[in-house]
C-alpha cells in the first residue's frame, strides 16, 4: 500500500475508522476483531478511534480496548501501526453527544485512553471538538502539557476552523501534527482547512470520507461522476471517492470506517488507484 510521510511519521495512505465497530449498529466482537485484522493484512497502518466510540453510558473506551485487543492478537508488528485517539466529545449513553474542553478533563481522559489502548504514550491525540464553554487556547493548552509530560507523542485537533488550526499550531510551537475534519464528495465546506494543512505540512484526515455510516453505501447513486469513473476502472465508487481525496493534497489521509472486513479491504485499494487529470477534473 502507498505510504504518506508527514513531518515525523509515515503511515498507510488509507486508515481505518473505528467508530462503526462501537456505536449504534455495531457488530459482534469477533466480526470487529476480524475487520481490524483484515485492515492490517491489507496494509493499513493507521487506526482512528476516540474514547467516546461506545454505545452505553458505562462503556467509555469501548473502541480503544477493541483495537488494543485486536493489535495484541495480531501476528504482525503492532509498533508499525499509528493508533490515533481523541478526547473532549462524550456520549452520555442516550444517543446524544456532549462536549468537554476543560483542560483538566482532557488530561485525565488522555491518561485513561493510554491505559485503554495499552500504550505508554499515545501516538496521536486529538482534541475532539471545540467546546463553546471553554476558550479554545485553554483546551489546546492541555495538549501542550500532555506532550511535555510524554502522555502523547503527537497532538492534533478535530472539527477545527482555519483560525483554530493557526492558533493550535502556534500554541504547539509549530508541532500541530494532524487535523481531522469532515470531508467527502458530499461535504466539501472544509476544503479551506485541507488547504491550510497542505500549506503547513500538517496531516489532514477526512472523517466520514464516504459521507458517513448511513450514506456510504449509496455514494455511487448520489454522485454520478464518481459512479462513472468507478465503472471505467472496474472499482467501487467508494474507492474513487477515497482516491479523489488523496489527490487533493499530499498530506491527506482518509480514514474510512468499517464494521465488515470486505469494506476495509475494498477501501484500502484506493491507495493504489490512480485517477487521471481529466477524471479528477470531472469529480471537482
Ligand atoms: N472527528 C470526528 O468528529 C469524527 C466524526 C465522525 C467520524 N470520525 C472518524 O472517521 C471515521 C470514518 O467516518 P464514518 O465511519 O462516520 O463514515 P464513513 O467512513 O464515511 O462511512 C463508514 C461506512 O462506510 C462503509 N464502507 C466503508 N468502506 C466501504 C466500501 N469500500 N464500500 C462500501 N461501503 C464501505 C462501512 O460499512 P460497514 O459498516 O458495512 O463495513 C461503514 O459503515 C470514523 O469511523 C471515525 O473514526 C470522526
Amino acid at each position: 500500500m502507498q505510504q504518506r510521510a508527514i513531518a515525523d511519521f509515515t503511515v498507510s495512505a488509507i486508515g481505518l475508522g473505528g467508530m462503526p465497530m462501537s456505536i449504534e449498529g455495531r457488530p459482534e466482537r469477533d466480526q470487529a476483531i476480524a475487520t481490524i485484522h483484515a485492515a492490517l493484512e491489507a496494509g493499513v497502518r493507521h487506526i482512528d478511534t476516540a474514547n467516546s466510540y461506545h454505545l452505553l453510558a458505562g462503556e467509555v473506551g469501548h473502541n480503544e480496548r477493541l483495537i488494543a485487543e485486536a493489535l495484541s492478537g495480531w501476528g504482525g508488528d503492532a509498533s508499525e501501526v499509528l493508533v490515533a485517539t481523541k478526547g473532549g466529545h462524550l456520549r452520555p449513553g442516550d444517543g446524544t453527544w456532549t462536549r468537554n474542553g476543560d483542560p483538566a478533563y482532557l488530561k485525565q481522559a488522555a491518561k485513561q485512553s493510554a491505559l485503554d489502548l495499552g500504550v505508554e504514550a499515545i501516538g496521536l491525540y486529538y482534541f475532539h471538538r471545540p467546546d463553546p464553554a471553554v476558550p479554545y487556547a485553554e483546551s489546546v493548552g492541555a495538549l501542550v502539557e500532555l506532550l511535555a509530560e510524554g502522555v502523547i507523542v503527537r497532538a492534533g485537533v478535530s472539527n477545527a476552523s482555519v483560525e483554530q488550526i493557526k492558533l493550535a499550531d502556534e500554541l504547539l510551537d509549530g508541532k500541530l501534527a494532524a487535523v481531522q475534519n469532515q470531508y467527502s464528495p458530499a461535504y466539501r465546506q472544509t476544503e479551506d482547512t485541507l488547504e491550510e494543512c497542505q500549506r503547513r505540512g500538517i496531516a489532514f484526515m477526512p472523517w466520514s470520507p464516504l459521507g458517513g455510516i448511513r450514506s456510504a453505501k449509496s455514494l455511487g447513486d448520489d454522485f454520478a461522476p464518481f459512479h462513472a469513473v468507478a465503472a471505467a476502472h472496474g472499482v467501487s465508487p467508494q474507492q474513487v471517492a477515497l482516491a479523489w481525496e488523496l489527490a487533493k493534497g499530499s498530506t491527506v489521509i482518509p480514514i474510512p470506517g468499517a464494521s465488515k472486513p470486505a469494506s476495509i479491504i475494498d477501501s484500502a485499494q484506493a491507495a493504489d488507484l490512480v485517477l487521471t487529470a481529466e477524471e479528477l477534473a470531472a469529480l471537482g
Side-chain angles (χ1 to χ4, degrees), residues 132-216:
V134 179
Y136 198 64
E138 287 185 19
S139 301
V140 174
L143 299 179
V144 175
E145 290 181 25
L146 287 164
L147 277 172
E149 291 172 19
V151 178
I152 67 175
V153 181
R154 296 174 198 85
V157 292
S158 183
N159 300 297
S161 66
V162 167
E163 287 315 306
Q164 288 165 334
I165 291 168
K166 287 180 180 169
L167 177 59
D169 201 25
E170 186 187 316
L171 293 167
L172 287 157
D173 219 4
K175 294 200 192 76
L176 180 66
V179 171
Q180 186 177 130
N181 278 351
Q182 184 172 9
Y183 187 72
S184 67
Y187 191 96
R188 306 183 187 203
Q189 293 94 306
T190 49
E191 202 145 302
D192 58 341
T193 61
L194 184 159
E195 286 162 3
E196 186 63 27
C197 287
Q198 183 70 23
R199 273 193 290 278
R200 289 174 181 255
I202 294 170
F204 182 86
M205 321 311 201
W207 66 255
S208 289
L210 303 174
I213 294 174
R214 275 185 291 274
S215 306

Side-chain angles (χ1 to χ4, degrees), residues 9 34 57 109 125 170 214 226 231 235 238 253 279-280:
F9 67 98
Y125 190 76
E170 186 187 316
R214 275 185 291 274
F226 288 84
V235 301
Q238 288 79 10
I253 304 172
E279 288 170 334
L280 289 169

Side-chain angles (χ1 to χ4, degrees), residues 48 158-159 180 207-208 210 212 216 255 257 259-260 263 266-267:
D48 183 74
S158 183
N159 300 297
Q180 186 177 130
W207 66 255
S208 289
L210 303 174
I255 46 169
S259 64
K260 298 187 190 77
S263 306
D266 183 68
S267 290

